[in-house]
């Protein structure tokens, strides 16, 4: 799904156990619509597409997998941690809220807070009101959070006027991510050279993952995702 043009603003951040975390809106130069919340709409469409994909998988594999997804939007702090094994990550209240929207959610549904609902309902999405829930780390200061379940898109986004492509300097997030990827490629090349005469090494990782999505100044979110095994080949 991330290879599709409509999801070009969405980036995978990491997986934690069975949780998959993705963010939308970290690279403003990639946004191609007049609506400033176009990247948030793309994240909502991505969550809906994930649910549709898992249903298709269930149909052909005779399984009954379900995703539990949480979304939120707001500002985030992004950066790289680690000297020997640098890793790009994001932090902040938005990330925590998206995680809580996942953990307090319902299997098979996409839960969003009131603020995210107010933006998306004006852009062609349908919702079901859930009620007020206690969110650890937030409700202690702000009280219970009103949440809604995202049901799907009922019409195209009426606020998108015309496509546009923003050119210019890359965002800091894009530059940092490119640096980390370059360092990883150099390290992999070094390992390949060292093992050139010693055969082939393979590592196979098998996970049942949750899918976490959430928007932020950037958007972030979270949920359960059953995913095919990852394979890493080093030779």
């Amino acid at each position: 799904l991330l290879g599709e043009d409509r999801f070009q603003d969405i980036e995978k951040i990491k997986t934690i156990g069975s949780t998959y975390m993705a963010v939308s809106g970290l690279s403003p130069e990639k946004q191609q619509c007049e609506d400033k919340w176009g990247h948030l709409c793309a994240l909502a469409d991505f969550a809906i597409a994930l649910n549709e994909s898992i249903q298709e998988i269930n149909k052909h594999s005779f399984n009954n997998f379900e995703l539990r997804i949480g979304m939120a939007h707001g500002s985030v702090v992004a950066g790289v941690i680690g000297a020997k094994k640098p890793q790009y990550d994001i932090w902040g209240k938005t990330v925590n809220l998206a995680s809580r929207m996942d953990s307090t959610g319902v299997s098979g549904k996409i839960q969003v807070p009131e603020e995210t609902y107010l933006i998306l309902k004006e852009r062609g999405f349908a919702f079901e009101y859930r009620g007020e829930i206690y969110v650890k780390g937030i409700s202690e200061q702000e009280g219970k959070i009103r949440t809604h379940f995202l049901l799907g898109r009922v019409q195209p986004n009426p606020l998108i006027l015309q496509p546009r492509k923003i050119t210019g300097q890359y965002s800091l997030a894009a530059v940092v991510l490119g640096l980390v990827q370059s360092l990883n490629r150099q390290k992999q090349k070094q390992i390949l050279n060292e093992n050139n005469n010693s055969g082939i090494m393979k590592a196979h990782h098998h996970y049942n993952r949750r899918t976490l999505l959430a928007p932020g100044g950037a958007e972030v979110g979270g949920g359960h995702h059953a995913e095919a095994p990852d394979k890493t080949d080093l030779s």
Side-chain angles (χ1 to χ4, degrees):
L1 290 176
L2 290 180
E4 298 183 16
D5 289 341
R6 59 180 176 146
F7 299 138
Q8 63 179 345
D9 294 328
I10 301 173
E11 298 180 30
K12 171 188 173 183
I13 297 298
K14 61 184 176 181
T15 56
I16 313 171
S18 59
T19 299
Y20 175 93
M21 185 160 102
V23 62
S24 176
L26 283 182
S27 302
E29 75 280 353
K30 291 184 179 180
Q31 296 178 27
Q32 295 186 353
C33 67
E34 294 295 335
D35 182 10
K36 70 174 184 177
W37 293 111
H39 60 289
L40 178 55
C41 295
L43 192 67
D45 284 328
F46 183 63
I48 295 168
L50 285 174
N51 268 336
E52 293 173 348
S53 296
I54 204 69
Q55 290 171 11
E56 193 67 19
I57 291 173
N58 288 338
K59 184 188 302 183
H60 296 287
S61 64
F62 304 102
N63 286 303
N64 191 29
F65 297 123
E66 287 187 326
L67 304 178
R68 190 182 67 203
I69 303 174
M71 290 176 54
H73 80 278
S75 59
V76 299
V77 176
V80 176
I81 55 175
K84 294 184 178 180
K85 295 182 178 180
Q87 181 179 356
Y88 182 76
D89 206 349
I90 55 176
W91 304 270
K93 177 183 174 181
T94 303
V95 179
N96 295 336
L97 181 56
S99 178
R100 298 302 182 188
M101 289 297 99
D102 162 35
S103 60
T104 62
V106 176
S107 184
K109 294 185 179 292
I110 304 166
Q111 183 172 227
V112 305
E114 177 89 353
E115 293 78 9
T116 304
Y117 154 76
L118 292 174
I119 293 173
L120 293 177
K121 76 169 185 175
E122 301 296 334
R123 290 162 172 79
F125 293 92
F127 289 87
E128 172 191 349
Y129 177 62
R130 180 187 185 182
E132 295 184 348
I133 63 171
Y134 176 84
V135 178
K136 184 178 179 181
I138 298 178
S139 293
E140 291 86 346
Q141 291 78 32
E142 302 179 13
K144 291 185 176 181
I145 304 295
R146 290 168 57 91
T147 66
H148 302 258
F149 290 132
L150 172 60
L151 302 179
R153 182 185 279 280
V154 293
Q155 64 182 21
N157 185 351
L159 301 180
I160 293 181
L161 303 178
Q162 62 182 1
R164 73 174 178 182
K165 185 159 186 164
I166 302 175
T167 58
Q169 293 183 332
Y170 288 105
S171 67
L172 177 60
V175 173
V176 172
L177 182 59
L179 176 61
V180 173
Q181 291 174 338
S182 176
L183 291 173
N184 286 338
R185 284 195 295 269
Q186 291 178 8
K187 186 173 182 180
Q188 290 176 355
K189 185 175 180 181
Q190 181 180 359
I191 294 175
L192 289 173
N193 291 335
E194 291 174 352
N195 292 278
N196 189 40
N197 298 319
S198 52
I200 300 175
M201 293 188 346
K202 294 184 179 181
H204 303 277
H205 306 280
H206 300 266
Y207 298 102
N208 284 326
R209 295 175 176 167
R210 274 186 346 187
T211 305
L212 179 120
L213 297 167
E219 319 326 293
V220 209
H224 287 298
H225 183 30
E227 197 171 58
D230 287 346
K231 295 184 179 179
T232 305
D233 295 340
L234 301 178
S235 59

